[in-house]
């Protein structure tokens, strides 16, 4: 009988173990390489680069997303992270075309931004069909977390419920109990007017009428004359961007503000900068972010200012936060596969300068604190972009529509 050489057996065992380990490492490396589809994690910033919302989104949103990628480290285990961008031109069909091209041909993993509710609703439909993550950091309609909610859609920033329950509620309780609306004639403006009207009536006020204008309107005189003739105490501006700026300027030129007060339901700090404090002073605004609120917000905003030449809007800050939250989820899931990343994003709190303890609910709404602010007078402002006084913090559970009122079909599953 042949004697077994224990030394040779040991060597053989060692060799087998080494080969097995090598095969395991190679397999693990292949699995890891395959975890990031097409060898790159690609984030698309879909925004308004040329129209009415370009100042509050636009290039600033691209800069914010790029800052997040850089702060994250620029790669995931050696897999590069890339930011691409496009202009949706405030057209739903153009936004849908970009989204379809990005998802089907250019392997974009997620889209952030939008800055237009009609565009956002169109993109959500594309993302739902393609099972891709889309994060709305600039669209306002609550339809995104109600009748148009989708499993992979996240509404990250403000919405019409939060804006109206912040500003309208405060104004009515302080004597502004009769309103006339000047409203942008598309999904966002109509929803904002609807939500604000509900708040006004709930708090004992009344709405005397409304006038609706096309997006990107140059002449607001007829709409504001109608508001003036109504005799309402408050002229509610259910629009945004350059439309809000033009409406406020026209109201001052025609003397509307001599007998009526304006309530801007969606106003950005860039709007105040454009108007000047002499015109905008005293205006109450609900916002999800203010650059000068604390040391963290100031530190990030000054970095943003160095690249953008202006302080960030809440859309810019939200785009940074959403991009970073997405990348952290990809890192934790060790894949860019939609289902795994989506699940990771939803179970992880949003903790950064933009939001502390933010939560993504089952309807896709990311709830976080909102802030009621008042625009300072020129005498109160002490340095550039020192525009707001924070009147109140609106806790996240109070700021957004409760799930009990939501019509999102996902809640029934």
């Amino acid at each position: 009988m042949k004697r077994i050489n224990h030394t040779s057996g040991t060597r053989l065992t060692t060799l087998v173990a080494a080969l097995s380990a090598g095969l395991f490492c190679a397999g693990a490396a292949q699995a890891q390489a395959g975890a990031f589809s097409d060898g790159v994690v690609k984030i698309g910033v879909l925004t308004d680069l040329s129209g009415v919302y370009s100042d509050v989104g636009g290039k600033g949103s691209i800069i914010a997303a790029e800052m997040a990628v850089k702060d994250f480290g620029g790669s995931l285990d050696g897999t590069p992270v890339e930011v691409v961008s496009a202009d949706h031109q405030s057209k739903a069909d153009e936004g849908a075309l970009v989204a379809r091209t990005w998802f089907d041909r250019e392997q974009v993993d997620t889209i952030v931004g939008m800055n237009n509710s009609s565009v956002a609703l169109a993109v959500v439909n594309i993302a739902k069909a393609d099972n891709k993550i889309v994060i709305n950091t600039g669209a306002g309609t609550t339809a995104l977390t109600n009748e148009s909610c989708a499993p992979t859609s996240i509404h990250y920033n403000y919405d019409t419920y939060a804006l109206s329950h912040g500003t309208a509620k405060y104004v009515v309780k302080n004597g502004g109990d009769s309103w006339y609306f000047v409203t942008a004639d598309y999904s966002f403006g109509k929803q904002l007017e609807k939500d604000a009207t509900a708040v006004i009536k709930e708090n004992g006020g009344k709405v005397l009428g409304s006038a609706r204008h096309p997006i990107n309107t140059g002449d607001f005189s007829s709409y504001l004359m109608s508001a003036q003739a109504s005799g309402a105490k408050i002229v509610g501006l259910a629009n945004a961007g350059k439309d809000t700026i033009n409406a406020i300027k026209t109201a001052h030129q025609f003397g509307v503000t001599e007998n009526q007060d304006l309530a801007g339901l969606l106003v950005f700090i860039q709007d105040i900068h454009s108007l000047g404090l002499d015109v905008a002073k005293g205006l109450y605004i609900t916002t999800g972010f203010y650059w000068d609120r604390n040391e963290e917000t100031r530190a990030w905003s000054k970095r943003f200012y160095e690249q953008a030449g202006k302080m960030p809007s809440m859309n810019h800050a939200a785009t940074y936060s959403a991009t970073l939250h997405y990348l952290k989820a990809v890192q934790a899931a060790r894949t860019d596969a939609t289902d795994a990343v989506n699940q990771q994003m939803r179970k992880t709190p949003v903790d950064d300068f933009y939001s502390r303890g933010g939560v993504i609910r089952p309807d896709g709404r990311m709830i976080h604190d909102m802030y009621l602010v008042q625009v300072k007078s020129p005498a109160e402002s002490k340095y550039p972009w020192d525009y707001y006084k924070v009147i109140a913090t609106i806790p996240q559970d109070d700021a957004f529509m409760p799930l009990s009122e939501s019509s999102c079909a996902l809640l029934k599953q």
Side-chain angles (χ1 to χ4, degrees), residues 36-166:
F36 300 110
S37 58
D38 72 331
V40 62
V41 175
K42 194 176 292 187
I43 298 166
V45 180
L46 183 58
T47 187
D48 179 357
L49 286 168
S50 56
V52 67
Y53 305 136
S54 57
D55 201 25
V56 300
K59 291 182 180 179
S61 292
I62 300 169
I63 289 170
E66 290 174 342
M67 286 177 65
V69 170
K70 184 176 180 181
D71 289 350
F72 183 77
S75 66
L76 283 148
D77 296 327
T79 299
V81 179
E82 181 181 344
V83 174
V84 296
S85 61
D87 184 358
H88 56 56
Q89 303 172 40
S90 291
K91 298 175 182 177
D93 56 350
E94 180 67 21
L97 177 61
V98 172
R100 188 175 289 110
T101 301
W102 275 355
F103 289 150
D104 294 349
R105 300 180 187 176
E106 299 181 17
Q107 291 77 50
V108 169
D109 296 294
T110 187
I111 296 176
V112 298
M114 266 58 80
N115 298 99
N116 179 292
S117 290
S118 297
V119 171
L121 290 167
V123 171
V124 165
N125 285 334
I126 302 298
K128 183 178 180 180
D130 285 2
N131 191 36
K132 293 287 189 176
I133 294 170
V134 60
I135 313 171
N136 294 288
T137 59
T141 180
T142 52
L144 290 163
T145 50
N146 281 277
E147 63 269 22
S148 297
C149 70
T152 56
S153 172
I154 298 171
H155 200 164
Y156 206 86
N157 196 2
Y158 63 88
D159 62 28
T160 54
Y161 183 98
L163 296 172
S164 58
H165 280 69

Side-chain angles (χ1 to χ4, degrees), residues 52 180-184 211-225 227-228 235-257 260-267 271 274-275 279-280 283:
V52 67
Y180 187 96
F181 284 99
V182 175
T183 302
R212 292 185 174 172
H213 66 84
I215 190 172
N216 206 13
T217 293
D219 184 2
F220 277 88
S221 57
S222 62
Y223 308 110
L224 288 163
M225 290 302 98
Q228 193 173 43
V235 178
L237 303 177
N239 48 24
K242 293 177 182 177
D243 283 334
T244 301
I245 292 171
N246 289 336
I248 293 174
K249 286 180 177 178
T250 304
H252 280 264
Q253 290 169 1
F254 281 79
V256 174
T257 54
Q260 295 168 294
D261 290 326
L262 302 178
L265 294 173
L266 177 55
V267 180
D271 304 335
S274 178
L275 289 164
V279 173
L283 196 65

